[in-house]
Amino acid sequence: MQSICQDLLDEYQALAALCDTLTPNEWQQPTAFYAWSAWDEIAHLCYFDETGLQSATDAEGFNQAALPLAKRLYEGEPISAIARERYAHLDGPALLAHWRGLHQALVQALSKLDVKDRLPWYGPPMSARSFASARLMETWAHGQDIWDVVQRKRPATARLKHIAHLGVSTFKWTFVNRQLPVPEVLPHVVLSAPDGDTWTWNDASDSHSVHGSAEDFCLLVTQRRHLNDTGLHYVGEDVQQWLLMAQCFAGPPADGPMAGVRV
């Protein structure tokens, strides 16, 4: 767990460092993600890092607390409103300080677990490794919204491999989640890493494949960019169908931005 926990902590710290530079206006400026502000983005991460810490340290308490949250969401209350309610007393810098304490505690708790230990979550339980990877992906994705709204370019890192792996691993689930037939052939995914290395998944194929940068692929599967606004190259109708609806995060089917909206 030490390696993935260090990567998770590094991802948290990278986003926190960006947020340290935000002006009061930038904290409240709407992003391209459902018009959430940077404050909303951090509040969202903070909320689920808080419940994640409870899951890692008090499974029974987490399960009890998850029930009323599920009821509120089922009744149509948006998660953004729930997070705003929880942290309404904190301005941006205060929220950031609170989040730092939470995510540091979460990483510390996760580092004490075995990679195969199971954590309760909203849905099926997750292994500690998968949970850490999912938190890294969530942090990176919501962080992208903030990087975009302040119009700065985020340096790509090797931590993208965790997100890319989630993107490839959820190929079948993306179809199942939309109640669509699952293609029989898995796509051959070949991505160029930030350091010039090459990451590959699945068997080589001339008829079902994706090639491009790891960053573009991660932006796509987290639904922060439309396929047409990436440099990804693909072969196969099934592959195109997947890339147009790829979703590496849990929950009901979601649609990413339209072409040209987030460039």
Side-chain angles (χ1 to χ4, degrees):
M1 282 295 292
Q2 296 304 315
S3 178
I4 178 61
C5 282
Q6 185 60 57
D7 283 347
L8 175 58
L9 181 60
D10 289 346
E11 195 62 46
Y12 281 138
Q13 291 178 337
L15 178 54
L18 171 66
C19 291
D20 265 331
T21 71
L22 298 180
T23 66
N25 180 64
E26 287 173 333
W27 270 109
Q28 298 302 325
Q29 188 174 346
T31 71
F33 185 79
Y34 298 107
W36 286 14
S37 65
W39 189 97
D40 287 317
E41 303 275 2
I42 298 303
H44 179 80
L45 293 173
C46 195
Y47 186 93
F48 286 107
D49 284 334
E50 185 174 340
T51 63
L53 177 59
Q54 185 179 36
S55 174
T57 59
D58 179 14
E60 183 177 349
F62 170 85
N63 287 329
Q64 292 177 352
L67 294 176
L69 174 62
K71 182 176 184 294
R72 294 177 71 176
L73 294 175
Y74 179 78
E75 292 173 348
E77 190 171 358
I79 187 59
S80 56
I82 295 173
R84 287 173 195 144
E85 176 186 285
R86 176 73 64 92
Y87 307 114
H89 61 292
L90 301 175
D91 64 6
L95 177 67
L96 179 60
H98 183 64
W99 179 52
R100 274 194 166 110
L102 278 176
H103 69 233
Q104 289 168 359
L106 174 58
V107 171
Q108 185 176 21
L110 291 175
S111 68
K112 297 176 182 179
L113 302 177
D114 183 84
V115 293
K116 295 182 180 179
D117 284 343
R118 309 296 288 180
L119 277 69
W121 200 234
Y122 305 100
M126 302 174 68
S127 71
R129 180 192 292 276
S130 294
F131 183 87
S133 294
R135 294 313 300 151
L136 191 155
M137 177 274 296
E138 186 91 351
T139 303
W140 185 87
H142 287 287
Q144 186 64 50
D145 303 330
I146 302 175
W147 281 95
D148 283 348
V149 78
V150 298
Q151 299 183 6
R152 302 184 210 174
K153 173 67 175 175
R154 171 168 51 182
T157 73
R159 297 190 296 273
L160 290 174
K161 192 169 187 178
H162 298 290
I163 304 167
H165 183 73
L166 283 174
V168 176
S169 300
T170 50
F171 171 78
K172 291 184 177 180
W173 179 82
T174 297
F175 289 88
V176 171
N177 196 33
R178 294 174 180 263
Q179 301 182 351
L180 295 172
V182 178
E184 295 181 2
V185 180
L186 296 176
H188 182 49
V189 180
V190 182
L191 303 177
S192 55
D195 63 359
D197 196 6
T198 300
W199 301 333
T200 63
W201 289 265
N202 301 327
D203 295 335
S205 173
D206 294 329
S207 58
H208 296 77
S209 64
V210 182
H211 292 74
S213 76
E215 184 176 24
D216 274 352
F217 183 76
C218 292
L219 287 168
L220 178 78
V221 299
T222 57
Q223 295 190 348
R224 264 53 188 183
R225 296 291 187 272
H226 188 276
L227 175 60
N228 294 355
D229 297 320
T230 71
L232 297 173
H233 301 278
Y234 58 90
V235 178
E237 291 184 7
D238 290 345
V239 176
Q240 181 187 40
Q241 184 183 17
W242 169 51
L243 295 176
L244 287 171
M245 61 184 185
Q247 176 180 333
C248 71
F249 49 89
D255 295 320
M258 300 292 290
V261 173
R262 295 188 69 172
V263 180

